[in-house]
Amino acid sequence: MRGLWLENLKLSYQDQILIPVPAATEALIRVRLAGVCSTDLELVRGYYPFTGVPGHEFVGEVVRSPSDHSWEGKRVVGEINIACGDCRMCQSGLPRHCEKRRTLGIHEWNGVFAEFLVLPLANLHLVPKTIPDQAAVFTEPLAAAYEILEQTRIDPAESVLVIGAGRLGQLVAQVIQQTGCQLEVFARHAKPRQLLAQRNIRTLTEQELGVKKYDIVVEATGSADGFSLALNSIRPRGRVILK
């Protein structure tokens, strides 16, 4: 099959990659649409020594499912962590935190920048017919944003600051806005501020940052500077969430 191959920090196009063969509890999926994440770009820069097909945001169609043919022909998205099922975390019902997990397109599992991929059936989620591929491809980063509401409760009376208004920060802000809290987003550039303004989300410039402290700060830049800003913006006994 055709696809992108990453090895020794070099990304190349190849047309002789072997089509993966699904195990009994896995599915072979034809990729319909794939998204490019910042993590993919960082892999090329040396973020992690991954060799193989990168990419983890996708919408696809199940071509083959050896143990459950009902999946075949279905449009799906998929969770990216492949759990072992045997470790302490898996046995505790926390497979996303599996101690031996492999990660789609990031760690020991070929990703989605190719014509086909395989994933365990347990990782798959059906895409409703009403959701187009162009929206469904955002499922994985949107799920990462919604994980915040699993990690902590956000009340309408609480003040929340999101640091970073990139792709993930935009999704995080839209998710948190639904709680009705007092939300503000620190965004350095005009275009992200414009996108947030269209959704009635207030933004802060660098000059406005630090004027007040917040009950909750979400750090969505993944940078040391962003983490420092988060620590400087949180009130005593507040909560810092890293994304």
Side-chain angles (χ1 to χ4, degrees), residues 114-188:
E115 293 181 90
F116 298 93
L117 71 141
V118 294
L119 269 181
L121 295 177
N123 286 53
L124 302 185
H125 297 275
L126 291 173
V127 178
K129 294 180 180 179
T130 54
I131 298 179
D133 288 352
Q134 289 79 4
V137 76
F138 284 95
T139 298
E140 192 277 332
L142 185 59
Y146 266 104
E147 190 178 29
I148 292 171
L149 302 186
E150 294 181 354
Q151 294 171 319
T152 190
R153 177 188 174 96
I154 300 178
D155 295 321
E158 291 185 301
S159 59
V160 180
L161 172 66
V162 176
I163 296 177
R167 292 181 289 272
L168 180 58
Q170 294 279 333
L171 293 174
V172 166
Q174 292 176 46
V175 166
I176 292 177
Q177 184 185 37
Q178 297 179 56
T179 68
C181 69
Q182 303 167 43
L183 172 64
E184 295 177 325
V185 179
F186 170 54
R188 282 195 168 97

Side-chain angles (χ1 to χ4, degrees), residues 5-12 43-44:
W5 188 266
L6 177 62
E7 188 168 358
N8 296 324
L9 305 184
K10 293 183 179 179
L11 194 64
S12 62
L43 284 174
V44 179

